[in-house]
Structure formats: structure tokens, C-alpha cells
Amino acid sequence: DGGITQSPKYLFRKEGQNVTLSCEQNLNHDAMYWYRQDPGQGLRLIYYSQIVNDFQKGDIAEGYSVSREKKESFPLTVTSAQKNPTAFYLCASSRRGASTDTQYFGPGTRLTVL
Amino acid sequence: AQTVTQSQPEMSVQEAETVTLSCTYDTSESDYYLFWYKQPPSRQMILVIRQEAYKQQNATENRFSVNFQKAAKSFSLKISDSQLGDAAMYFCAYRTETSGSRLTFGEGTQLTVNP
């Protein structure tokens, strides 16, 4: 089946640790995105990538890093520099990065800092 | 700054009735695309409907339709014949030509469907 997978579904991290969230898609989409969702709020863009080996910062990139070595994969690392990482993280993809393209979302990862 | 406002944090509707969720946005651009996404308790974001700003005709998808008023920068979602499965958080969002990949979201409206 075509779609976007994220793993793990739930992730717990101790203070000071880096963690990496996985996002994979088999839709042959060029563009991929990471969003953060806090309770009672909409989604905010962290990073996005329109092509392999290239990515751009979104609105809240501080404390996060990404890589895009393969078209299918766009992992997000939450570093110890992120002051308040507890949130729900959503990955999305679109055919290209054009404004006409619809973004499709994965099921999300819930990150909790202990 | 470009913003999206959903003025109704919570709404409720009786099963089989019709409900309208409000959304206003602020952009100086003339070309943009508007979206309604649904987020059920599973937290998965699901596209409900999209509207191209250059189209005057309102988009429809089965029981879902929009009322797009470009001059007023308003983009409301109407759900007809509401079903229990419609209960979810609904987000309004848009993208502009200059923002490219950037989707700007509202804060959402929690819809409850009463049996």
C-alpha cells in the first residue's frame, strides 16, 4: 500500500538526549515536511525538503536537524538544544514542493521528555 | 504576517444535521490554495477538501462543501448530514505561490457529533 509511515508511534526521551524520528514514504513524492503540533494549536513547520540532499528551515527549526539522503526518507533529529521538545510530530509529503500540491500526512510520533 | 483564524474552538452538531465551521485568513497575494484537514482521535491528518483561489466555484466533496468568499478572505466548511465519524478536530490551512511549500494552519475547531 502507498503511504507515509512514521516510527515510533510513542517516544520517550531523557533530558539532554538526542532522538531521531523516522519518516518514510513510498508515494514517489519529491517534497517532504516536518511539523510540530502542541495541544490546542495548529501545526507549525520545522523543516522541509523539496529534493534529495537539500532542505530548508521552517518557522521553528531551532533545536532540530534533518537529512535527506534518499527520496523516500526524511528523518528528524530532536537535539538537546530544543528547550521544550514534548509535542506531537507529523511528517508529510507532496508530489513536488509547489503550492498547487496537496500535502499528505503520516500517523505522527508522540515525543515525551521525561 | 500571514495568518489563519478559526474563531470557534469548539462546535457541536446533532447527527444528520448540518454544521458550518468558520475560517478567515490574511494574505496580500492573489494566488493561493485553501485546505480543510480533519484530525480524528487517531491524530492522523486527513485532507477533507481543497479550493483554488482563482476558481469562483465552491469546492464540494460528497457531504463536505466550502463557502469561499475571496473578497472577505473567508473559507468556511459545511458538513451536511453529519455522522458520528465526522467528530474530529478540523484545521483550515492555506499555501501561497510565494510560500511554496509552507502551509499555514489555523488553531483548529473541535467538532462533536451528538447521537
Side-chain angles (χ1 to χ4, degrees), chain A residues 13-33:
Chain A
R13 190 193 93 172
K14 292 182 180 179
E15 295 256 8
Q17 283 183 336
N18 293 355
V19 290
T20 297
L21 283 60
S22 169
C23 177
E24 305 275 336
Q25 54 94 4
N26 61 3
L27 301 168
N28 200 33
H29 284 173
D30 287 324
M32 297 186 72
Y33 314 82

Side-chain angles (χ1 to χ4, degrees), chain B residues 18-57:
Chain B
T18 295
V19 64
T20 298
L21 308 184
S22 300
C23 173
T24 58
Y25 57 92
D26 184 21
T27 180
S28 58
E29 300 193 36
S30 58
D31 289 330
Y32 49 90
Y33 302 83
L34 298 159
F35 306 85
W36 277 99
Y37 280 91
K38 167 185 177 181
Q39 188 178 43
S42 67
R43 306 294 298 272
Q44 174 111 36
M45 293 286 282
I46 302 165
L47 178 69
V48 175
I49 199 165
R50 61 173 276 167
Q51 172 83 41
E52 290 82 358
Y54 62 85
K55 290 187 177 178
Q56 293 186 345
Q57 186 173 7

Side-chain angles (χ1 to χ4, degrees), chain A residues 33 35 37 40-43 45 48 50 57-59 88 90 97-103 105-107, chain B residues 33 35 37 39 42-47 50 89 91 95-97 99-103 105-108:
Chain A
Y33 314 82
Y35 291 90
Q37 186 179 25
Q41 296 188 29
L43 280 64
L45 183 65
Y48 64 100
Q50 294 180 298
K57 293 181 179 180
D59 297 320
F88 188 63
L90 284 155
S99 59
T100 53
D101 293 336
T102 296
Q103 292 184 18
F105 287 80
Chain B
Y33 302 83
F35 306 85
Y37 280 91
Q39 188 178 43
S42 67
R43 306 294 298 272
Q44 174 111 36
M45 293 286 282
I46 302 165
L47 178 69
R50 61 173 276 167
M89 181 74 87
F91 291 97
R95 298 171 79 179
T96 67
E97 286 294 335
S99 72
S101 298
R102 190 180 302 272
L103 263 175
F105 284 87
E107 294 188 348

Side-chain angles (χ1 to χ4, degrees), chain A residues 84-103:
Chain A
N84 185 21
T86 294
F88 188 63
Y89 291 87
L90 284 155
C91 177
S93 71
S94 65
R95 190 164 58 91
R96 295 165 298 146
S99 59
T100 53
D101 293 336
T102 296
Q103 292 184 18

Side-chain angles (χ1 to χ4, degrees), chain A residues 50-108:
Chain A
Q50 294 180 298
I51 196 168
V52 174
N53 292 323
D54 187 45
F55 48 83
Q56 287 79 39
K57 293 181 179 180
D59 297 320
I60 55 167
E62 184 176 352
Y64 300 97
S65 65
V66 293
S67 62
R68 187 86 187 277
E69 298 176 0
K70 299 188 299 181
K71 186 176 184 177
E72 302 79 20
S73 178
F74 191 41
L76 173 74
T77 296
V78 184
T79 74
S80 57
Q82 169 50 235
K83 300 301 181 188
N84 185 21
T86 294
F88 188 63
Y89 291 87
L90 284 155
C91 177
S93 71
S94 65
R95 190 164 58 91
R96 295 165 298 146
S99 59
T100 53
D101 293 336
T102 296
Q103 292 184 18
Y104 298 93
F105 287 80

